[in-house]
Amino acid sequence: MHCWTTDGRGLESLVRADREPPRRLGDNDVLIEVKATSLNYRDLLVAKGQYGGEYDPPIIPLSDMCGVVSSVGPEVNDIEVGDRVTNAPLPQWLEGPLNPQFIKGFVGGAGVDGVLAEEVIFPADALVTVPEFFSDAQGATLSVAALTAWAAVVTHGNVRPGDWVLTHGTGGVAVFALQIAKALGAKTIFTTGSTEKGETIQSLTDADVVLSYRDEDWPKQVRAATGTSGADIVVETVGAATLSGSIKAAAMGGRLGIIGTMGGLTADVNMFDLIRKQLTLRGIYMESVDELRKLVATMGHHQIKPHVGWVFPFEEARSAYEFLAAKQHLGKIVIEVSS
C-alpha cells in the first residue's frame, strides 16, 4: 500500500512509503479505499514537530478524507460496501463534551496514523456518509475545517436568523463559517488583507460586508456595518493578532469561538470589554461524530458546497504542504489519492 509518512522533523522529511495494507477488521471496523484527503494548518505543525513532537517510527499524516467502503466488519449495520464516507478526526468522541482521552486518538498526529494512504480502517461509529452532490475532493474537507466552523457558529455560537457573524481571512474554516452562517439566516462580515481574495470569497459566500484588517479601525467599521451593535458571533481564526479587535467588534452578549493560532498565542485584551459586554470566549477543538452528522445533513439540505481551491496529485503531496505553508491559498487544499 502506498502512503506518505512524516517523522515530525520538517517538510523535507515527508516521504512516500510502502506499508502492508490494512486487512484485519474488527467487528465494528470499516475498510476504506481513500479517494481524496485535505490539508489543515495543524498538518504543517505535525510535519514540523510542533504538534506532538517527533515520531519514531514515522506516522501517516492528515486527518480529513473521503473514500469508498470496500469491506465491513460483521457487526456493521449502517454502512455498506460501496458507500462514500468521511471520517471524524477524533474517532472516540461520539457525542457530548470533549474528554481528554479522546484527544489522544486524534488521527494524523500525536503518534496516531492518519489518512494520507491508499487504504485506511476506521470504526463504523466514526464515519459519516457523504452526500452524492459532493465530489470526492469536497467530501474530504469536512472533518476538521467544516466541523470546526460548525462548532463555532452553531454548536457553541447558537446562531440565529438575523445574527451578525464575523470571521477573518480566506482559509477553509473562515469560508465554511461564512457559508454555514449565511445558509442559516445570519448576516456575515469577513476581514481580509487581499482585495482580490475578498472579491472571490464574497462571490462564493454572498457575504454582506468585506473589510480590510489592514485598516486599524476595522472593529469600528464592524460596529458601523451592524448598526453600532457589533458582531453576535466571532469566528476567531487568526489568534492573538486579531483577538483584541474581535472583542472590540463584538456585540453585547457576543460569542467568540477561538480557533486560530497563526497570529500568535499570547494577546493583550481589555478585560473591561469582556465584562461590560458580557462576552463568551470559547476554545473550539472541532466537535463530536454526532455534530459531524448534523453538519453534513445541514450542508446537504442547504446544498452548501465546500470551496476547493487546489487539488494536488498523490505523488506531489509535499508540494501541497509547501503551498499551504506559503499562505497563498484560498479555500481548501486537497490531495487526490485515487480517481
Side-chain angles (χ1 to χ4, degrees), residues 278-334:
Q278 296 185 304
L279 301 180
T280 300
L281 274 66
R282 172 89 184 208
I284 302 295
Y285 199 78
M286 289 162 299
E287 258 299 332
S288 64
V289 181
D290 184 54
E291 290 298 316
L292 179 61
R293 290 199 178 96
K294 293 175 183 176
L295 159 71
V296 174
T298 298
M299 292 186 71
H301 177 73
H302 290 281
Q303 301 267 307
I304 304 172
K305 285 196 172 184
H307 175 61
V308 175
W310 289 267
V311 178
F312 288 80
F314 185 70
E315 295 77 14
E316 298 178 16
R318 189 188 296 172
S319 297
Y321 274 81
E322 292 168 346
F323 190 67
L324 177 61
K327 299 180 181 179
Q328 297 301 309
H329 63 292
L330 188 155
K332 294 295 292 181
I333 299 170
V334 167

Side-chain angles (χ1 to χ4, degrees), residues 3-228:
C3 63
W4 283 77
T5 64
T6 179
D7 60 11
R9 293 187 174 94
L11 297 188
E12 66 279 359
S13 70
L14 279 163
V15 296
R16 189 171 173 179
D18 289 314
R19 287 194 181 181
E20 288 295 318
R23 285 289 181 263
R24 295 174 63 91
L25 292 183
D27 289 345
N28 193 48
D29 284 343
V30 174
L31 178 66
I32 303 160
E33 177 189 353
V34 179
K35 293 296 184 180
T37 64
S38 70
L39 283 163
N40 298 285
Y41 180 68
R42 168 184 178 270
D43 299 312
L44 285 178
L45 302 181
V46 169
K48 294 177 179 179
Q50 298 170 2
Y51 195 110
E54 298 179 357
Y55 303 110
D56 185 17
I59 65 167
I60 298 172
L62 301 195
S63 307
D64 295 30
M65 71 89 199
C66 177
V68 176
V69 174
S70 55
S71 183
V72 300
E75 294 185 7
V76 176
N77 298 313
D78 297 332
I79 295 175
E80 299 179 349
V81 171
D83 285 351
R84 282 198 317 155
V85 293
T86 189
N87 62 290
L90 301 176
Q92 295 176 306
W93 189 7
L94 301 182
E95 60 183 358
L98 178 62
N99 184 309
Q101 290 298 116
F102 301 160
I103 297 175
K104 297 179 180 179
F106 197 156
V107 297
V112 180
D113 278 337
V115 297
L116 191 50
E118 292 179 318
E119 292 181 298
V120 295
I121 290 177
F122 271 88
D125 293 343
L127 299 172
V128 177
T129 303
V130 174
E132 291 184 2
F133 71 88
F134 283 175
S135 67
D136 292 335
Q138 291 169 335
T141 67
L142 306 175
S143 303
V144 171
L147 184 57
T148 299
W150 173 266
V153 174
V154 180
T155 311
H156 304 295
N158 298 312
V159 67
R160 296 180 295 268
D163 279 350
W164 281 97
V165 177
L166 166 68
T167 190
H168 304 296
T170 55
V173 174
V175 175
F176 275 121
L178 293 169
Q179 290 177 303
I180 292 167
K182 197 70 175 179
L184 297 178
K187 292 171 285 189
T188 54
I189 305 174
F190 74 97
T191 70
T192 177
S194 167
T195 301
E196 182 180 354
K197 285 185 177 181
E199 291 173 350
T200 302
I201 294 300
Q202 187 171 29
S203 67
L204 287 170
T205 65
D206 194 28
D208 294 281
V209 180
V210 183
L211 301 174
S212 173
Y213 59 68
R214 301 187 189 281
D215 293 336
E216 293 185 2
D217 65 347
W218 66 261
K220 183 178 180 181
Q221 293 175 25
V222 170
R223 294 195 300 273
T226 59
T228 74

